[in-house]
């Protein structure tokens, strides 16, 4: 990269102000955000992102999964674009930065190039992927998954939320269903800036995570069926308690994950008990087991052992059980050249950095299957995320966006 470009920096104040402005949309109850996918709040956040992109003289593309693509022209009409983005949807008790930092970091690159009057050979496209979180509609990374050919659009449209509302209906209801075929776009490369959502970078005093790999994920929805009965008058030996069976299975999830420590994790975050009445023994329990590891064999072992343990538990209690795989992806190795561009940018800019494996899933994990892809991470306070108290520093946000900026313009090639 030309010496003149070495010192280019994004505008950290403008990035921070945009983060705080976006955070006002779909506020949580404790300082974070509840801007779940395909809600009116999501629609409002999309509109604000579109407004900012149009002010930055981008043209906005929208595909049939609601993925948003803000296009900044390059000088070579034949050159494939460099895409850069993440997601604007949040968890119900989400933070202000998970996903949003990556989308607005991409926009900040375009704003900075406009300020400096810099042209690039390849177009640059700031991107918002619909429903990364997978909280209202499983699985996570749904729309980047359709884009990468991992799910069909029909299957995605049929996904239902807890109230039985279908994804496709809700996307049309909020007015963000585009005409463009999903996945038709071809990319020169894709970069994603994301908070680490774990404690490593902060603990090691590093400003930048150079993400070489992403751990794999497995989501299995388990349904245990027993029998509703009176909690007072039903003798203990006669009970078919699905809630109790679930509790015993959750213990097994934890035990199995610990057996693969330190490179595996497991938990159950989604639990529904029916009829969920104080004086009715639950006749049904539905819950999702989330297993993760950088090693696919470990994930498969955890899935198999849990199934055997859960079947033993319900057999002994005289209950029934069903398993449904509702999400997952194999461990990911990001593109060597893109990872080198990230690492080189951190070194040139003088930011402390370390290679890291992403503990969380990201849209980049799917896009990596259809385009050269890499990620940049910044620390987050106490490694906390998927919690309204999620926090980063303004300096961390700027450092991450600076490294993203240099990796992107190196790949998009500045035209002198
Ligand atoms: O589940 C994940 O890892 C991501 O935050 N959706
Ligand atoms: Mn995220
Ligand atoms: Mn998240």
């Amino acid at each position: 990269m030309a010496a003149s470009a070495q010192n280019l920096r994004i505008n950290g104040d403008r990035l921070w102000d945009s983060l705080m402005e976006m955070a006002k949309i779909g506020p949580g109850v404790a300082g974070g955000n509840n801007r779940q996918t395909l809600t009116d709040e999501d629609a409002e956040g999309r509109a604000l992102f579109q407004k900012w992109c149009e002010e930055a003289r981008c043209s906005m593309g929208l595909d049939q999964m609601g993925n948003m693509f803000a296009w900044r022209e390059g000088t070579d009409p034949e050159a494939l674009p460099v895409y850069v983005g993440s997601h604007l949807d949040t968890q119900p008790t989400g933070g202000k930065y998970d996903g949003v930092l990556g989308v607005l970091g991409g926009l900040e690159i375009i704003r900075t190039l406009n300020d400096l009057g810099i042209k690039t050979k390849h177009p640059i496209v700031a991107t918002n992927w619909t429903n990364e979180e997978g909280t209202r509609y499983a699985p996570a990374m749904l729309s980047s998954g359709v884009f990468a050919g991992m799910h069909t659009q029909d299957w995605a449209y049929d996904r239902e939320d807890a109230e039985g509302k279908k994804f496709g209906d809700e996307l049309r209801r909020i007015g963000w269903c585009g005409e463009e075929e999903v996945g038709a776009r071809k990319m020169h490369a894709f970069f994603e800036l994301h908070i680490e959502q774990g404690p490593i970078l902060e603990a090691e005093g590093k400003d930048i995570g150079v993400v070489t790999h992403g751990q794999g994920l497995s989501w299995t929805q388990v349904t245990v069926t027993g029998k509703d009965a009176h909690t007072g008058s039903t003798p203990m030996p006669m009970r078919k308690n699905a809630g109790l069976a679930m509790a015993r299975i959750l213990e097994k999830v934890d035990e199995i994950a610990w057996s693969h420590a330190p490179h595996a994790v497991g938990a159950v975050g989604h639990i529904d008990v029916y009829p969920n009445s104080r004086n009715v023994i639950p006749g049904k329990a539905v819950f999702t087991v989330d297993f993760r590891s950088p090693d696919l064999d470990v994930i498969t072992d955890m899935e198999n052992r849990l199934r055997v343990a859960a079947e033993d538990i319900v057999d002994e209690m005289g209950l029934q059980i069903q398993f449904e795989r509702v999400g997952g992806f194999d461990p990911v190795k990001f593109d060597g050249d893109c990872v080198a561009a990230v690492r080189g940018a951190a070194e040139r800019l003088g930011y402390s950095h370390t290679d890291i494996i992403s503990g969380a899933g990201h849209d980049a994990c799917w896009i990596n299957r259809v385009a050269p892809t890499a990620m940049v991470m910044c620390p987050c306070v106490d490694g906390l995320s998927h919690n309204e108290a999620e926090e980063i520093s303004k300096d961390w946000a700027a450092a991450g966006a600076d490294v993203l900026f240099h990796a992107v313009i190196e790949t998009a090639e500045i035209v002198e």
Side-chain angles (χ1 to χ4, degrees):
M1 182 180 299
S4 58
Q6 300 290 344
N7 298 318
L8 295 180
R9 294 289 191 281
I10 56 97
N11 181 327
D13 290 337
R14 178 172 56 196
L15 172 59
W16 192 258
D17 292 348
S18 297
L19 285 164
M20 295 305 112
E21 197 61 29
M22 182 61 75
K24 291 175 186 167
I25 299 176
V29 295
N33 276 109
N34 180 6
R35 192 173 56 243
Q36 296 183 56
T37 197
L38 308 189
T39 58
D40 294 339
E41 292 77 17
D42 180 19
E44 195 183 336
R46 288 164 172 267
L48 179 59
F49 176 58
Q50 167 138 343
K51 171 175 170 288
W52 284 339
C53 291
E54 288 170 348
E55 288 167 356
R57 304 192 297 279
C58 294
S59 57
M60 183 63 77
L62 184 68
D63 73 14
Q64 295 173 28
M65 285 296 290
N67 297 316
M68 300 172 74
F69 305 104
W71 178 293
R72 182 182 194 260
E73 283 301 348
T75 58
D76 179 349
E78 301 305 311
L80 289 178
V82 174
Y83 284 71
V84 52
S86 189
H87 62 92
L88 291 174
D89 68 305
T90 76
Q91 289 284 336
T93 55
K96 300 190 283 283
Y97 312 98
D98 173 0
V100 186
L101 177 62
V103 176
L104 300 186
L107 172 61
E108 178 52 36
I109 288 171
I110 289 174
R111 285 169 163 171
T112 299
L113 291 171
N114 290 346
D115 290 347
L116 300 171
I118 290 175
K119 296 188 186 319
T120 56
K121 174 186 173 190
H122 297 262
I124 292 174
V125 182
T127 305
N128 170 34
W129 298 106
T130 303
N131 188 37
E132 187 279 343
E133 290 294 357
T135 180
R136 184 182 177 195
Y137 293 100
M141 295 97 80
L142 178 60
S143 303
S144 49
V146 174
F147 188 94
M150 305 312 295
H151 313 299
T152 68
Q153 184 171 306
D154 288 348
W155 179 80
Y157 272 33
D158 275 348
R159 308 302 290 156
E160 291 188 1
D161 69 4
E163 293 166 11
K165 292 177 182 171
K166 287 187 187 293
F167 180 97
D169 296 340
E170 282 293 278
L171 180 63
R172 282 184 285 265
R173 181 188 68 79
I174 66 166
W176 283 93
C177 182
E179 297 296 320
E180 193 180 299
E181 179 198 343
V182 183
R185 288 174 176 260
K186 301 306 170 206
M187 300 179 175
H188 181 55
F190 176 70
F191 289 93
E192 180 168 3
L193 167 62
H194 207 287
I195 62 171
E196 180 197 340
Q197 300 183 292
I200 297 167
L201 294 178
E202 185 184 43
E204 293 186 6
K206 303 291 186 194
D207 294 327
I208 298 294
V210 179
V211 188
T212 57
H213 299 75
Q215 69 175 349
L217 175 155
S218 158
W219 278 2
T220 301
Q221 180 168 295
V222 182
T223 302
V224 175
T225 307
K227 187 173 181 181
D228 295 359
H230 198 298
T231 51
S233 52
T234 309
M236 291 301 280
M238 290 176 63
R239 295 181 177 209
K240 302 286 185 196
N241 187 336
L244 177 61
M246 175 183 70
R248 291 175 176 167
I249 293 168
L250 263 60
E251 276 290 343
K252 287 295 179 189
V253 170
D254 194 59
E255 188 184 299
I256 289 166
W258 273 105
S259 75
H260 282 288
H263 298 305
V265 291
V268 172
H270 152 242
I271 294 177
D272 288 318
V273 173
Y274 301 89
N276 203 24
S277 165
R278 290 177 183 79
N279 45 8
V280 178
I281 296 165
K284 186 167 90 169
V286 183
F287 52 100
T288 302
V289 178
D290 179 324
F291 278 135
R292 309 201 189 193
S293 170
D295 181 334
L296 185 56
D297 291 341
V298 169
I299 293 175
T300 306
D301 178 65
M302 292 194 287
E303 288 172 332
N304 294 340
R305 283 168 58 193
L306 179 82
R307 187 178 282 256
V308 169
E311 283 169 344
D312 289 350
I313 287 167
V314 297
D315 289 349
E316 189 198 334
M317 297 174 69
L319 307 184
Q320 284 74 47
I321 193 165
Q322 287 171 304
F323 302 91
E324 181 191 355
R325 188 167 165 89
V326 293
F329 57 88
D330 293 352
V332 170
K333 182 177 184 315
F334 289 113
D335 174 79
D337 291 339
C338 290
V339 170
V342 169
R343 190 180 295 112
E347 278 160 7
R348 280 198 308 278
L349 294 166
Y351 290 123
S352 58
H353 60 86
T354 183
D355 287 6
I356 193 168
I357 293 173
S358 175
H362 302 286
D363 294 306
C365 296
W366 280 143
I367 302 306
N368 186 58
R369 300 178 78 101
V370 292
T373 296
M375 292 188 72
V376 184
M377 279 189 176
C378 77
C380 50
V381 175
D382 299 335
L384 188 63
S385 182
H386 286 193
N387 181 309
E388 290 205 46
E390 176 187 280
E391 200 49 74
I392 65 174
S393 74
K394 190 171 173 182
D395 289 346
W396 285 342
D402 275 334
V403 170
L404 181 75
F405 177 37
H406 277 252
V408 165
I409 57 177
E410 178 182 321
T411 309
E413 300 175 46
I414 288 178
V415 175
E416 302 296 343

